Amino acid sequence: MWPGQYIWRRHKELRMVGFRATSRAVALVLLGTPLGFVSDAAAQQSNPPQNSARTASVNAADIDYDTAHLERRLEAVRASGPITLDGTLDEPSWASAPLAAHFIQNDPREGEPATYDTEVRVLYDDEAIYFGVFARDEEPGRLTVTDLKKDFNTNNSDGFRIVLDTFHDARNGYTFATNPGGARYDAQMANEGRERNADWDGIWDVATRVAETGWYAEIRIPFRTLKFETRDMQTWGVNFERKLRRVNEDSYWSPVPRIYDLDRVSMAGTIEGLRGVRPGMNLRFKPYAATTSSALAGRPTTREFDAGLDVKYGVTSGLVWDFTANTDFSQVEADEQQINLTRFSLFFPEKRDFFLENSGIFQFGTNAGQFGGGGQGGGGGGGREMRLFFSRRIGLSDAGEPIPILGGTRLTGRQGAYSMGVINIQQRETDTVSAANFTALRLRRDILANSDIGAVFLNKERNGPLFNRVAGVDANFRFGDLSINAYLAKSFSPGTAAPHTGNELASRAGFNYQSRTWQAQAGHSGIGDRFNDEMGFVPRWGIHNYDGRIGRQIRPQAVSKWLRQMQPHFEFDIFTRQHDGMLDTSYNGYHWNFNFQDGSNAEIGFNPMIEDVPEAFTINSATRTQVNTGRYEFTEYFAFWRTNEAAMLSFNTRYAVGDFYDGYRRQLNFGPSVRMTEKFNASVNLQLNDISLSTGSFISKLVTTRVNYNFNTKMFFNALVQYNSDNRQWTSNLRFNIIHRPLSDFYLVYNERRDERSGILLSRAVIAKMTYLMAF
């Protein structure tokens, strides 16, 4: 078996619907002849089958992306009999279903026909909608499948993706994806991908099969998994994406420009003819039972049993009401540790399912993301934007330790032009933390073609008279390639120890522009000294922040065989203090990024920085090394390289040198990965910082090791082992997971912490947890 690829034994060529797929048929499809599965005689006559969707061949210069999707219309046919999910598409109903074909590349050769076409048919019955997919490939032995786990990385495998805009509002939708190995990925998407929740889990199934001329997928999505309006006749937005990983090619049924992807549902085609279907009652009960055996150093082992319940009810076709009692997150993966070499708090992402589902509704304003494709600048305030609502403030301490949750409720979804979210959680009292109640209210209204305005209210109340409240309004305007956004928020915290000077406001205004050749973004943020958001993430107070990025995308034809795109870009992040206008931090980045045809990329650059440190802070607790007060000017020079992550062996490395405060720093990140088959992959990431300052010298080490084994698409083992030289501890998080029925799991989890110097066990826990979903 070739490493890193899914190698298939040769099968006899499939016969479907009485026709034989031939290489001539493939060639005619690529030339624009509207063919589906046709006989040799039909191929010679170059006539389309009567049931094919009406499409036309296009060249890159001929595509009008504003109107092309109007021609991509696909009729759904009611199945005449039961459909068995086995990846063969041999039921008679598939023969009568219209065909969607003639996929168009958006990368690397925008506007040209796909190297190998993909053919899709759609059926439905009273319970579900079905997609029958044939992804042509003359070399199926070279298919790339790197993973079988749920919510696999769709960028590193051959695959097929669907987006369904069930409300046909050209803004929101559901994404479903699979690869030739039958792995599943699903997500909710809002505002054309500006908010994406890959942690949403739907009930659906898929069966795949590989043959001599390509691979097949048979997909079943129950209507109760989806939200849509209750009408006798349904018309949904739909688009399909095919990834041919070995040439790093993306193609779409309804053409999409290179700067966008499948989430651009305003450019999707349509499914028509769905009659007499209903979303169902959509009532789910999901009880759990868990038992834990835990031990701390020097203390006896304790054993606990716990149980709880989650309930989900579809109030309307667009609104979902969730209830949770005695909420448990013991199966959630541990945080990846970080080395903090700044005077500001680190950001750790949310990983708990209850808070991740529909989390995009609570997003406020907009958070600037990575820029230029590499994102390896490594300085300034990047990645430290304020988040008005940060769900890790609920049920977790500042150190990431769990705080028990008694229960809560959440109402989220859409009703007409409105998106709304309400969440209320009651946190239990512990020896060190008082009981607290958390409430978040969010309302957003769609306006114009693709813009929105909204408001948010946050409230945290503790036992006694203390409370913290934040109210804000935001607006996001989108006009083609240009986006303009702004927000304003104010906090209310009587009785807190906030500074006596300054204001209680947080604000931002900015824009983002992106075309095929240029990217530009700039904005201004302000956070007052007295702004207090106990339900958010605020890295620093009392500042004005000016940030911007500009870059150009270049596709040099002379070296296009191996280099796909270059992205020279400049970025800046400047912070000044509100009370005196003096500089606090200045970061500038001059970078050049290279994206290669196989999916690898590299980046070089340098980052001049200024830090004005008003108070000394400890930069390394193990050696008690400090950065003293003063103004520091220094520059970092770096180089980054990431090889093709779909290969058997790959690695990423970043090396940086330069002055650092009043001393010098050498930094090395090195991360090799191995993928023996689609079932086994492992990686190690080593981060070294060799730092010499006037107050001391130290070498910090952070090692992160991951091992994943996928027994099949429903049984997985994951290990996360980490070493941090700052606290001199080894931590292990081992998880075994069986999906014993849809959205129902068994987990066996082992957690451990050990002291590196003595080898003494600091803590250990073994957790067994069972969930069981009952859907109506």
Side-chain angles (χ1 to χ4, degrees), residues 420-728:
M420 60 191 71
V422 179
I423 188 169
N424 180 268
I425 300 291
Q426 180 63 43
Q427 182 177 279
R428 295 179 186 268
E429 182 179 12
T430 68
D431 294 337
T432 58
V433 179
S434 61
N437 183 269
F438 300 84
T439 300
L441 309 176
R442 178 69 162 133
L443 182 66
R444 187 170 60 212
R445 191 189 193 286
D446 297 337
I447 60 173
L448 305 177
N450 196 13
S451 302
D452 59 80
I453 56 176
V456 68
F457 176 75
L458 308 176
N459 182 52
K460 176 183 176 182
E461 298 207 15
R462 289 168 286 181
N463 290 340
L466 297 180
F467 66 83
N468 172 248
R469 293 169 186 162
V470 178
V473 293
D474 66 335
N476 299 281
F477 297 96
R478 305 175 183 97
F479 309 100
D481 297 336
L482 177 65
S483 300
I484 301 172
N485 57 79
Y487 67 72
L488 177 65
K490 178 178 173 60
S491 66
F492 306 86
S493 300
T496 63
H500 296 293
T501 59
N503 61 64
E504 299 169 325
L505 300 176
S507 63
R508 178 171 175 83
F511 77 90
N512 184 77
Y513 172 81
Q514 180 172 346
S515 69
R516 286 181 179 82
T517 54
W518 286 99
Q519 291 175 292
Q521 175 266 320
H524 168 265
S525 303
I527 302 176
D529 281 298
R530 293 179 55 81
F531 181 75
N532 182 26
D533 181 7
E534 296 181 17
M535 290 178 63
F537 176 78
V538 184
R540 55 172 103 184
W541 292 264
I543 53 91
H544 289 290
N545 176 211
Y546 307 87
D547 63 275
R549 297 163 175 82
I550 185 169
R552 178 171 172 79
Q553 298 181 349
I554 303 169
R555 295 209 163 198
Q557 295 302 311
V559 290
S560 60
K561 287 186 178 181
W562 54 274
L563 179 63
R564 177 166 296 186
Q565 183 169 276
M566 298 187 299
Q567 297 167 297
H569 54 279
F570 165 74
E571 57 190 35
F572 64 90
D573 218 352
I574 298 172
F575 295 82
T576 61
R577 302 186 186 110
Q578 289 187 355
H579 70 275
D580 60 9
M582 299 299 292
L583 181 70
D584 191 70
T585 298
S586 173
Y587 161 83
N588 292 279
Y590 302 85
H591 305 161
W592 197 298
N593 177 262
F594 303 87
N595 294 326
F596 301 99
Q597 293 291 3
D598 66 350
S600 60
N601 68 290
E603 186 170 350
I604 56 175
F606 64 98
N607 305 311
M609 287 174 272
I610 301 174
E611 285 281 353
D612 190 85
V613 180
E615 295 181 6
F617 68 95
T618 300
I619 195 171
N620 184 262
S621 57
T623 60
R624 299 180 180 179
T625 302
Q626 284 192 332
V627 174
N628 293 323
T629 59
R631 179 185 174 96
Y632 301 92
E633 297 186 19
F634 49 96
T635 300
E636 174 192 61
Y637 302 87
F638 75 92
F640 170 81
W641 185 22
R642 177 187 289 118
T643 63
N644 178 10
E645 292 181 303
M648 181 192 73
L649 292 173
S650 64
F651 68 88
N652 68 83
T653 184
R654 183 184 190 273
Y655 182 71
V657 297
D659 297 335
F660 190 63
Y661 293 103
D662 60 355
Y664 198 78
R665 177 174 70 163
R666 287 177 291 273
Q667 181 190 55
L668 173 66
N669 287 6
F670 182 68
S673 299
V674 58
R675 298 180 185 272
M676 299 302 296
T677 68
E678 72 284 352
K679 292 186 175 183
F680 176 81
N681 62 76
S683 65
V684 178
N685 190 76
L686 172 64
Q687 183 183 137
L688 295 174
N689 284 280
D690 183 1
I691 296 175
S692 297
L693 302 177
S694 62
T695 57
S697 300
F698 63 92
I699 298 178
S700 69
K701 310 180 191 72
L702 181 61
V703 181
T704 304
T705 303
R706 288 184 175 276
V707 178
N708 302 304
Y709 188 83
N710 309 310
F711 297 88
N712 50 49
T713 59
K714 296 183 179 180
M715 186 185 301
F716 319 96
F717 171 78
N718 313 104
L720 173 62
V721 180
Q722 303 179 85
Y723 169 70
N724 190 332
S725 64
D726 281 6
N727 58 24
R728 298 183 178 179

Side-chain angles (χ1 to χ4, degrees), residues 110-284:
E110 182 182 347
E112 294 187 15
T115 300
Y116 299 117
D117 200 18
T118 305
E119 300 164 347
V120 186
R121 289 179 169 90
V122 180
L123 299 173
Y124 72 99
D125 56 24
D126 290 338
E127 302 295 329
I129 186 169
Y130 302 83
F131 296 88
V133 182
F134 176 46
R136 294 183 179 275
D137 196 321
E138 292 181 357
E139 301 177 279
R142 298 182 64 194
L143 288 172
T144 302
V145 177
T146 58
D147 218 335
L148 296 181
K149 70 179 180 182
K150 186 181 178 301
D151 291 335
F152 67 100
N153 186 336
T154 59
N155 291 320
N156 289 336
S157 291
D158 277 78
F160 176 80
R161 289 203 298 163
I162 304 167
V163 65
L164 292 175
D165 175 9
T166 55
F167 286 96
H168 206 199
D169 59 11
R171 291 172 179 261
N172 311 288
Y174 301 89
T175 301
F176 302 90
T178 189
N179 62 26
R184 293 180 300 167
Y185 169 95
D186 50 23
Q188 284 178 323
M189 179 272 298
N191 287 318
E192 297 201 294
R194 283 173 286 272
E195 302 159 20
R196 185 186 296 108
N197 181 15
D199 295 280
W200 173 81
D201 290 322
I203 298 175
W204 63 288
D205 208 354
V206 60
T208 59
R209 190 165 66 93
V210 176
E212 282 192 337
T213 56
W215 62 279
Y216 293 84
E218 202 166 11
I219 299 169
R220 181 183 187 269
I221 304 173
F223 289 120
R224 68 184 181 186
T225 296
L226 308 171
K227 293 293 181 184
F228 52 91
E229 294 181 349
T230 305
R231 291 195 303 248
D232 184 63
M233 177 70 74
Q234 298 281 335
T235 298
W236 295 353
V238 67
N239 205 357
F240 310 116
E241 178 194 35
R242 163 84 178 279
K243 177 172 282 292
L244 188 62
R245 184 58 181 87
R246 63 181 178 272
V247 294
N248 211 22
E249 176 185 298
D250 299 324
S251 59
Y252 295 81
W253 174 56
S254 183
V256 175
R258 188 176 66 239
I259 59 174
Y260 302 127
D261 59 15
L262 192 70
D263 292 338
R264 198 74 173 182
V265 288
S266 59
M267 295 181 174
T270 54
I271 291 179
E272 302 171 346
L274 291 164
R275 294 178 175 86
V277 300
R278 296 291 183 269
M281 185 178 179
N282 198 12
L283 177 62
R284 301 182 187 178

